[in-house]
Amino acid sequence: MNDTITRDAPAQAVEAPAGQKKVFLKTYGCQMNVYDSQRMSDALAADGYQPTDVIEDADLVLLNTCHIREKAAEKVYSALGRLKQLKEDRAAAGRETIVGVAGCVAQAEGEEIIRRAPVVDLVIGPQTYHRLPQAVRRARGGERIIETDYALEDKFEHLPAPKKASVRARGVTAFLTVQEGCDKFCTFCVVPYTRGSEVSRPVSQIVAEAERLADAGIREVTLLGQNVNAWHGEGPDGREWGLGQLLFRLAEIPGLARLRYTTSHPRDMDDALIAAHRDLPSLMPYLHLPIQSGSDRILKAMNRKHTAADYLRLIERIRAARADIAMSGDFIVGFPGETDADFEATMQLIRDVGYAQAFSFKYSPRPGTPGADMKFHVDEDVKTERLLALQALIAKQQLDFALGLVGSEMDVLIEKPGRNAGQRVGKSPWLQPVIVDEMAGEIGDIVRVRITKAGSNSLFSEPVRAE
Ligand code: 5AD
Ligand code: SF4
């Protein structure tokens, strides 16, 4: 997807073929938004909209937004500011442009967006994407639309199934949302308000979608959920299934060589899920398990309902089940009341765990969340200082992890052509890009390689030839 929202060049009035319109979709934020954008794109294709990377050609510009931190929403408002000119230029050439805002900012701000950004014709929340084509049609009729109710019907049932050609055009890996929403109410987090309470998709729907993906040539599926390991549903055996059982079922689908899931909450890692890590070779040995802070006092204020020791014990159990599992996490620095000692506890926890990767953020007060109203907010300068120290530690761990792989053999899923001729880029079981010789195999193949060199962001390899 194109990363720039506007261009300097004036809009070119290129007529789309009759009945064929174009949509420019820009995605912000998490992987679930990436998945949602694909489903919206499929739904719009059924209504005659072809995707374009050239914003000036777009009859519909849709921003799929993120509200998790402050800057994300501000980026959306400045993008909308830039769209005003584009819309005027196209109108001068006799072409209508519908501007829509989807995603979590749409859900959280609703009418505020319509008030603050007159360029917007359509605001649609994540629970009503199945109504998007109809909302666009109404917007073309001159209405300004706000669709942010939590729909009673199951949106997934009403969204068209992903088409084989469009699935494969996106690559050999795919996301599949199995769960949405969150009931945990961490005090810093806006997700329970923007995505609503936890909903799990039924087993049959998930299996059918995974089979379609495999049939289209997808080799790796990442199951998505805000709180994915809280997924549950009734299995075909009439029993209540958790994510562990679901993974066992998906592992039976021919062609799906790799399974992943994200994001997990430490409180919902049950025995069946840990057993899946032990018993399923296709479940990749990589786990994103955010803790946010290493200080029990801060964890309590965050309403995480677990301690640092609980988390460390859990990791011990997971590592006992799957020794080569690599850990990833999320950290927030500068939560209200965080002292130097609290921050040092976070640094110590990171040293104790040893992460292969981690994401870290300065605390950003979100309106309507309990954290925003807490006392003792931390100075920006202190947040910056802590973030830099934490990121330096994580960067060192990430590099150490990569260097530790030099000389070892691993399976790599070949994903795309490399930057240099004769090379391809694949992915390691631990989500690292691996540079592979073109002769090693085709896109979609899983090849055995030996790692020859490692940097922080990629590994270099040579094929291991059968003797
Ligand atoms: N401020 C900073 N980081 C946040 N996250 C969620 N809410 C906030 C916030 N208000 C981070 C958490 C979460 C990740 C997706 O984003 O670390 O796990
Ligand atoms: Fe937000 Fe995750 Fe906490 Fe849910 S579990 S409230 S999504 S941080």
Side-chain angles (χ1 to χ4, degrees):
M1 202 61 49
N2 201 327
D3 227 37
T4 49
I5 294 288
T6 53
R7 302 262 169 73
D8 292 331
Q12 303 267 317
V14 185
E15 244 354 284
Q20 216 192 65
K21 299 169 290 278
K22 293 199 171 152
V23 53
F24 178 95
L25 237 160
K26 165 81 182 167
T27 307
Y28 300 83
C30 67
Q31 292 149 325
M32 192 173 288
N33 266 10
V34 173
Y35 174 83
D36 285 346
S37 288
Q38 292 171 351
R39 299 302 300 267
M40 285 193 272
S41 177
D42 292 339
L44 290 165
D47 231 32
Y49 281 92
Q50 296 303 311
T52 179
D53 282 344
V54 183
I55 196 165
E56 292 85 0
D57 289 350
D59 306 284
L60 169 63
V61 176
L62 204 52
L63 307 182
N64 189 7
T65 62
C66 169
H67 203 234
I68 198 94
R69 286 170 293 276
E70 205 156 11
K71 280 195 190 125
E74 284 316 309
K75 268 191 226 160
V76 172
Y77 280 112
S78 52
L80 287 172
R82 293 194 297 272
L83 281 174
K84 190 166 164 276
Q85 187 63 47
L86 180 94
K87 194 169 181 168
E88 284 171 8
D89 288 348
R90 280 180 49 96
R95 309 209 45 200
E96 186 188 23
T97 316
I98 301 293
V99 174
V101 179
C104 293
V105 177
Q107 189 63 43
E109 308 233 328
E111 281 187 25
E112 173 71 14
I113 301 178
I114 294 271
R115 254 199 309 274
R116 206 170 139 182
V119 72
V120 173
D121 303 289
L122 162 70
V123 174
I124 188 159
Q127 310 311 327
T128 42
Y129 289 157
H130 54 298
R131 299 191 195 146
L132 176 65
Q134 189 203 15
V136 172
R137 265 178 260 136
R138 281 167 54 206
R140 288 177 71 88
E143 271 181 80
R144 289 186 93 194
I145 316 278
I146 306 181
E147 279 268 19
T148 49
D149 288 345
Y150 289 114
L152 290 173
E153 67 272 19
D154 175 2
K155 72 171 167 188
F156 293 111
E157 289 245 321
H158 291 78
L159 280 165
K163 289 241 163 36
K164 221 172 168 174
S166 60
V167 165
R168 193 55 178 77
R170 289 167 189 149
V172 291
T173 64
F175 296 129
L176 199 176
T177 292
V178 299
Q179 182 277 336
E180 225 183 311
C182 183
D183 296 338
K184 289 281 190 286
F185 289 93
C186 300
T187 53
F188 53 81
C189 186
V190 82
V191 165
Y193 311 93
T194 55
R195 291 272 173 171
S197 52
E198 284 174 7
V199 178
S200 294
R201 289 179 73 186
V203 175
S204 55
Q205 226 184 57
I206 296 167
V207 170
E209 190 166 325
E211 283 174 344
R212 261 198 309 275
L213 292 172
D215 192 40
I218 295 297
R219 306 303 315 278
E220 174 180 302
V221 167
T222 302
L223 307 183
L224 299 180
Q226 264 91 32
N227 194 12
V228 72
N229 54 357
W231 178 90
H232 61 96
E234 191 185 312
D237 55 5
R239 298 227 179 115
E240 181 72 2
W241 280 13
L243 190 66
Q245 286 91 345
L246 180 68
L247 285 161
F248 275 95
R249 172 67 188 89
L250 296 176
E252 290 170 5
I253 297 175
L256 283 191
R258 293 184 159 192
L259 297 171
R260 305 178 182 275
Y261 60 91
T262 196
T263 291
S264 305
H265 192 288
R267 280 174 60 84
D268 292 325
M269 287 297 298
D270 64 11
D271 291 344
L273 188 51
I274 297 177
H277 278 289
R278 184 190 59 214
D279 297 337
L280 285 179
S282 59
L283 181 56
M284 290 294 100
Y286 181 92
L287 179 59
H288 184 61
L289 192 66
I291 182 170
Q292 316 294 355
S293 166
S295 153
D296 287 344
R297 220 173 56 81
I298 296 296
L299 287 170
K300 191 156 195 293
M302 287 177 165
N303 192 33
R304 294 286 297 181
K305 297 204 173 81
H306 60 75
T307 62
D310 294 336
Y311 180 84
L312 291 170
R313 265 195 303 272
L314 176 61
I315 291 181
E316 241 171 64
R317 283 172 55 216
I318 297 166
R319 282 182 169 153
R322 178 86 203 225
D324 65 346
I325 202 155
M327 297 303 304
S328 154
D330 288 342
F331 294 93
I332 295 177
V333 299
F335 187 78
E338 186 187 72
T339 61
D340 285 342
D342 292 319
F343 176 65
E344 176 46 34
T346 301
M347 295 292 272
Q348 189 53 46
L349 177 119
I350 294 172
R351 282 179 217 113
D352 290 344
V353 171
Y355 286 90
Q357 202 190 7
F359 302 92
S360 47
F361 314 97
K362 291 189 218 175
Y363 172 69
S364 154
R366 308 315 293 135
T369 60
D373 296 328
M374 286 180 185
K375 289 194 198 113
F376 308 118
H377 280 263
V378 175
D379 281 352
E380 267 320 291
D381 294 355
V382 176
K383 285 185 195 173
T384 305
E385 208 176 287
R386 290 179 186 166
L387 187 72
L388 290 175
L390 190 152
Q391 288 182 340
L393 176 57
I394 293 289
K396 181 175 182 313
Q397 293 194 340
Q398 188 170 338
L399 181 61
D400 286 348
F401 177 69
L403 291 172
L405 294 168
V406 173
S408 70
E409 283 185 19
M410 66 174 70
D411 288 335
V412 169
L413 170 60
I414 303 186
E415 289 190 344
K416 55 186 178 195
R419 218 177 283 158
N420 299 333
Q423 287 183 340
R424 296 195 203 276
V425 184
K427 204 191 295 150
S428 81
W430 303 282
L431 282 182
Q432 300 141 301
V434 185
I435 310 302
V436 189
D437 191 289
E438 194 176 72
M439 304 300 279
E442 296 301 317
I443 288 169
D445 287 352
I446 291 178
V447 300
R448 192 84 184 153
V449 302
R450 184 177 295 106
I451 302 304
T452 52
K453 205 168 79 172
S456 324
N457 296 319
S458 31
L459 303 174
F460 298 83
S461 70
E462 61 188 18
V464 177
R465 294 180 207 290
E467 293 295 314

PDB file of all heavy atoms in Angstrom, residues 68 181-192 226-227 263 265 292 304, ligand 2:
ATOM      1  N   ILE A  68      -4.711   3.868  19.199  1.00  0.00           N
ATOM      2  CA  ILE A  68      -4.054   3.308  20.382  1.00  0.00           C
ATOM      3  C   ILE A  68      -3.197   4.350  21.102  1.00  0.00           C
ATOM      4  O   ILE A  68      -3.120   4.363  22.314  1.00  0.00           O
ATOM      5  CB  ILE A  68      -3.255   2.032  20.031  1.00  0.00           C
ATOM      6  CG1 ILE A  68      -2.944   1.203  21.286  1.00  0.00           C
ATOM      7  CG2 ILE A  68      -1.987   2.319  19.260  1.00  0.00           C
ATOM      8  CD1 ILE A  68      -3.929   0.143  21.558  1.00  0.00           C
ATOM      9  N   GLY A 181     -12.049  -7.598  20.020  1.00  0.00           N
ATOM     10  CA  GLY A 181     -12.496  -6.947  21.242  1.00  0.00           C
ATOM     11  C   GLY A 181     -11.738  -7.446  22.456  1.00  0.00           C
ATOM     12  O   GLY A 181     -10.955  -8.390  22.373  1.00  0.00           O
ATOM     13  N   CYS A 182     -11.962  -6.779  23.582  1.00  0.00           N
ATOM     14  CA  CYS A 182     -11.220  -7.131  24.784  1.00  0.00           C
ATOM     15  C   CYS A 182     -12.028  -6.788  26.025  1.00  0.00           C
ATOM     16  O   CYS A 182     -12.651  -5.730  26.089  1.00  0.00           O
ATOM     17  CB  CYS A 182      -9.891  -6.380  24.797  1.00  0.00           C
ATOM     18  SG  CYS A 182      -8.887  -6.851  26.209  1.00  0.00           S
ATOM     19  N   ASP A 183     -12.010  -7.713  26.997  1.00  0.00           N
ATOM     20  CA  ASP A 183     -12.717  -7.494  28.271  1.00  0.00           C
ATOM     21  C   ASP A 183     -11.757  -7.229  29.416  1.00  0.00           C
ATOM     22  O   ASP A 183     -12.154  -7.241  30.571  1.00  0.00           O
ATOM     23  CB  ASP A 183     -13.551  -8.733  28.641  1.00  0.00           C
ATOM     24  CG  ASP A 183     -14.655  -9.013  27.638  1.00  0.00           C
ATOM     25  OD1 ASP A 183     -15.056  -8.074  26.926  1.00  0.00           O
ATOM     26  OD2 ASP A 183     -15.122 -10.172  27.575  1.00  0.00           O
ATOM     27  N   LYS A 184     -10.489  -7.021  29.110  1.00  0.00           N
ATOM     28  CA  LYS A 184      -9.503  -6.936  30.195  1.00  0.00           C
ATOM     29  C   LYS A 184      -9.435  -5.551  30.837  1.00  0.00           C
ATOM     30  O   LYS A 184      -9.076  -5.430  31.991  1.00  0.00           O
ATOM     31  CB  LYS A 184      -8.114  -7.314  29.657  1.00  0.00           C
ATOM     32  CG  LYS A 184      -7.966  -8.807  29.337  1.00  0.00           C
ATOM     33  CD  LYS A 184      -7.718  -9.602  30.603  1.00  0.00           C
ATOM     34  CE  LYS A 184      -7.325 -11.037  30.342  1.00  0.00           C
ATOM     35  NZ  LYS A 184      -8.449 -11.887  29.905  1.00  0.00           N
ATOM     36  N   PHE A 185      -9.723  -4.524  30.110  1.00  0.00           N
ATOM     37  CA  PHE A 185      -9.719  -3.159  30.638  1.00  0.00           C
ATOM     38  C   PHE A 185      -8.438  -2.786  31.370  1.00  0.00           C
ATOM     39  O   PHE A 185      -8.466  -2.356  32.520  1.00  0.00           O
ATOM     40  CB  PHE A 185     -10.950  -2.914  31.533  1.00  0.00           C
ATOM     41  CG  PHE A 185     -12.226  -2.843  30.750  1.00  0.00           C
ATOM     42  CD1 PHE A 185     -13.009  -3.985  30.555  1.00  0.00           C
ATOM     43  CD2 PHE A 185     -12.640  -1.652  30.162  1.00  0.00           C
ATOM     44  CE1 PHE A 185     -14.176  -3.927  29.801  1.00  0.00           C
ATOM     45  CE2 PHE A 185     -13.811  -1.589  29.411  1.00  0.00           C
ATOM     46  CZ  PHE A 185     -14.583  -2.727  29.233  1.00  0.00           C
ATOM     47  N   CYS A 186      -7.313  -2.974  30.710  1.00  0.00           N
ATOM     48  CA  CYS A 186      -6.065  -2.404  31.227  1.00  0.00           C
ATOM     49  C   CYS A 186      -6.299  -0.886  31.269  1.00  0.00           C
ATOM     50  O   CYS A 186      -6.901  -0.333  30.344  1.00  0.00           O
ATOM     51  CB  CYS A 186      -4.895  -2.739  30.308  1.00  0.00           C
ATOM     52  SG  CYS A 186      -4.637  -4.513  30.147  1.00  0.00           S
ATOM     53  N   THR A 187      -5.811  -0.238  32.322  1.00  0.00           N
ATOM     54  CA  THR A 187      -6.244   1.154  32.538  1.00  0.00           C
ATOM     55  C   THR A 187      -5.651   2.157  31.549  1.00  0.00           C
ATOM     56  O   THR A 187      -6.073   3.298  31.496  1.00  0.00           O
ATOM     57  CB  THR A 187      -5.902   1.596  33.977  1.00  0.00           C
ATOM     58  OG1 THR A 187      -4.508   1.338  34.202  1.00  0.00           O
ATOM     59  CG2 THR A 187      -6.740   0.851  34.994  1.00  0.00           C
ATOM     60  N   PHE A 188      -4.653   1.713  30.767  1.00  0.00           N
ATOM     61  CA  PHE A 188      -4.064   2.628  29.770  1.00  0.00           C
ATOM     62  C   PHE A 188      -4.743   2.488  28.419  1.00  0.00           C
ATOM     63  O   PHE A 188      -4.529   3.292  27.526  1.00  0.00           O
ATOM     64  CB  PHE A 188      -2.559   2.340  29.598  1.00  0.00           C
ATOM     65  CG  PHE A 188      -2.253   0.887  29.302  1.00  0.00           C
ATOM     66  CD1 PHE A 188      -2.372   0.384  28.021  1.00  0.00           C
ATOM     67  CD2 PHE A 188      -1.879   0.031  30.329  1.00  0.00           C
ATOM     68  CE1 PHE A 188      -2.123  -0.950  27.757  1.00  0.00           C
ATOM     69  CE2 PHE A 188      -1.617  -1.311  30.068  1.00  0.00           C
ATOM     70  CZ  PHE A 188      -1.744  -1.805  28.775  1.00  0.00           C
ATOM     71  N   CYS A 189      -5.568   1.468  28.235  1.00  0.00           N
ATOM     72  CA  CYS A 189      -5.883   1.009  26.881  1.00  0.00           C
ATOM     73  C   CYS A 189      -7.289   1.359  26.407  1.00  0.00           C
ATOM     74  O   CYS A 189      -8.274   1.211  27.119  1.00  0.00           O
ATOM     75  CB  CYS A 189      -5.696  -0.505  26.818  1.00  0.00           C
ATOM     76  SG  CYS A 189      -5.887  -1.149  25.153  1.00  0.00           S
ATOM     77  N   VAL A 190      -7.361   1.789  25.175  1.00  0.00           N
ATOM     78  CA  VAL A 190      -8.606   2.264  24.597  1.00  0.00           C
ATOM     79  C   VAL A 190      -9.354   1.142  23.854  1.00  0.00           C
ATOM     80  O   VAL A 190     -10.519   1.288  23.491  1.00  0.00           O
ATOM     81  CB  VAL A 190      -8.261   3.469  23.666  1.00  0.00           C
ATOM     82  CG1 VAL A 190      -7.781   3.012  22.310  1.00  0.00           C
ATOM     83  CG2 VAL A 190      -9.377   4.452  23.575  1.00  0.00           C
ATOM     84  N   VAL A 191      -8.683   0.006  23.671  1.00  0.00           N
ATOM     85  CA  VAL A 191      -9.252  -1.072  22.846  1.00  0.00           C
ATOM     86  C   VAL A 191     -10.634  -1.550  23.312  1.00  0.00           C
ATOM     87  O   VAL A 191     -11.535  -1.712  22.486  1.00  0.00           O
ATOM     88  CB  VAL A 191      -8.261  -2.257  22.722  1.00  0.00           C
ATOM     89  CG1 VAL A 191      -8.940  -3.515  22.211  1.00  0.00           C
ATOM     90  CG2 VAL A 191      -7.123  -1.878  21.784  1.00  0.00           C
ATOM     91  N   PRO A 192     -10.849  -1.776  24.614  1.00  0.00           N
ATOM     92  CA  PRO A 192     -12.180  -2.240  25.011  1.00  0.00           C
ATOM     93  C   PRO A 192     -13.291  -1.266  24.624  1.00  0.00           C
ATOM     94  O   PRO A 192     -14.444  -1.660  24.480  1.00  0.00           O
ATOM     95  CB  PRO A 192     -12.069  -2.370  26.536  1.00  0.00           C
ATOM     96  CG  PRO A 192     -10.607  -2.582  26.786  1.00  0.00           C
ATOM     97  CD  PRO A 192      -9.915  -1.741  25.758  1.00  0.00           C
ATOM     98  N   GLN A 226      -7.377  -9.192  19.504  1.00  0.00           N
ATOM     99  CA  GLN A 226      -6.804  -8.257  20.481  1.00  0.00           C
ATOM    100  C   GLN A 226      -6.348  -9.031  21.706  1.00  0.00           C
ATOM    101  O   GLN A 226      -5.407  -8.688  22.378  1.00  0.00           O
ATOM    102  CB  GLN A 226      -7.845  -7.225  20.917  1.00  0.00           C
ATOM    103  CG  GLN A 226      -7.751  -5.932  20.149  1.00  0.00           C
ATOM    104  CD  GLN A 226      -8.636  -5.965  18.934  1.00  0.00           C
ATOM    105  OE1 GLN A 226      -9.686  -6.604  18.941  1.00  0.00           O
ATOM    106  NE2 GLN A 226      -8.235  -5.287  17.895  1.00  0.00           N
ATOM    107  N   ASN A 227      -7.094 -10.107  21.972  1.00  0.00           N
ATOM    108  CA  ASN A 227      -6.790 -10.944  23.112  1.00  0.00           C
ATOM    109  C   ASN A 227      -6.975 -12.372  22.617  1.00  0.00           C
ATOM    110  O   ASN A 227      -7.860 -13.096  23.046  1.00  0.00           O
ATOM    111  CB  ASN A 227      -7.781 -10.585  24.224  1.00  0.00           C
ATOM    112  CG  ASN A 227      -7.361 -11.135  25.537  1.00  0.00           C
ATOM    113  OD1 ASN A 227      -6.239 -11.594  25.707  1.00  0.00           O
ATOM    114  ND2 ASN A 227      -8.276 -11.119  26.479  1.00  0.00           N
ATOM    115  N   THR A 263      -2.510 -11.109  19.481  1.00  0.00           N
ATOM    116  CA  THR A 263      -1.648 -10.884  20.623  1.00  0.00           C
ATOM    117  C   THR A 263      -2.218 -11.589  21.849  1.00  0.00           C
ATOM    118  O   THR A 263      -3.436 -11.591  22.023  1.00  0.00           O
ATOM    119  CB  THR A 263      -1.553  -9.370  20.900  1.00  0.00           C
ATOM    120  OG1 THR A 263      -0.834  -8.750  19.849  1.00  0.00           O
ATOM    121  CG2 THR A 263      -0.850  -9.075  22.184  1.00  0.00           C
ATOM    122  N   HIS A 265      -2.587 -12.474  26.043  1.00  0.00           N
ATOM    123  CA  HIS A 265      -2.517 -11.923  27.402  1.00  0.00           C
ATOM    124  C   HIS A 265      -2.005 -13.032  28.323  1.00  0.00           C
ATOM    125  O   HIS A 265      -2.481 -14.168  28.235  1.00  0.00           O
ATOM    126  CB  HIS A 265      -3.909 -11.455  27.849  1.00  0.00           C
ATOM    127  CG  HIS A 265      -3.857 -10.626  29.091  1.00  0.00           C
ATOM    128  ND1 HIS A 265      -3.585 -11.162  30.325  1.00  0.00           N
ATOM    129  CD2 HIS A 265      -4.028  -9.300  29.281  1.00  0.00           C
ATOM    130  CE1 HIS A 265      -3.594 -10.180  31.228  1.00  0.00           C
ATOM    131  NE2 HIS A 265      -3.864  -9.043  30.613  1.00  0.00           N
ATOM    132  N   GLN A 292       4.071  -5.279  29.580  1.00  0.00           N
ATOM    133  CA  GLN A 292       3.920  -3.809  29.729  1.00  0.00           C
ATOM    134  C   GLN A 292       4.858  -3.193  30.762  1.00  0.00           C
ATOM    135  O   GLN A 292       5.410  -2.135  30.539  1.00  0.00           O
ATOM    136  CB  GLN A 292       2.468  -3.380  30.060  1.00  0.00           C
ATOM    137  CG  GLN A 292       1.385  -4.063  29.248  1.00  0.00           C
ATOM    138  CD  GLN A 292       1.404  -3.720  27.761  1.00  0.00           C
ATOM    139  OE1 GLN A 292       2.175  -2.892  27.321  1.00  0.00           O
ATOM    140  NE2 GLN A 292       0.573  -4.401  26.991  1.00  0.00           N
ATOM    141  N   ARG A 304      -3.505  -5.197  35.289  1.00  0.00           N
ATOM    142  CA  ARG A 304      -3.099  -6.351  34.488  1.00  0.00           C
ATOM    143  C   ARG A 304      -3.469  -7.673  35.159  1.00  0.00           C
ATOM    144  O   ARG A 304      -3.491  -8.729  34.526  1.00  0.00           O
ATOM    145  CB  ARG A 304      -1.588  -6.304  34.229  1.00  0.00           C
ATOM    146  CG  ARG A 304      -1.156  -5.146  33.370  1.00  0.00           C
ATOM    147  CD  ARG A 304      -1.516  -5.337  31.936  1.00  0.00           C
ATOM    148  NE  ARG A 304      -0.843  -6.484  31.343  1.00  0.00           N
ATOM    149  CZ  ARG A 304      -0.980  -6.842  30.070  1.00  0.00           C
ATOM    150  NH1 ARG A 304      -1.778  -6.159  29.274  1.00  0.00           N
ATOM    151  NH2 ARG A 304      -0.355  -7.886  29.598  1.00  0.00           N
TER     152      ARG A 304
HETATM  153 FE1  SF4 B   2      -5.765  -3.318  25.744  1.00  0.00          FE
HETATM  154 FE2  SF4 B   2      -4.537  -5.683  25.461  1.00  0.00          FE
HETATM  155 FE3  SF4 B   2      -5.179  -4.778  27.931  1.00  0.00          FE
HETATM  156 FE4  SF4 B   2      -7.097  -5.599  26.238  1.00  0.00          FE
HETATM  157  S1  SF4 B   2      -5.445  -6.854  27.167  1.00  0.00           S
HETATM  158  S2  SF4 B   2      -7.145  -3.751  27.496  1.00  0.00           S
HETATM  159  S3  SF4 B   2      -6.275  -4.919  24.241  1.00  0.00           S
HETATM  160  S4  SF4 B   2      -3.702  -3.884  26.460  1.00  0.00           S
END
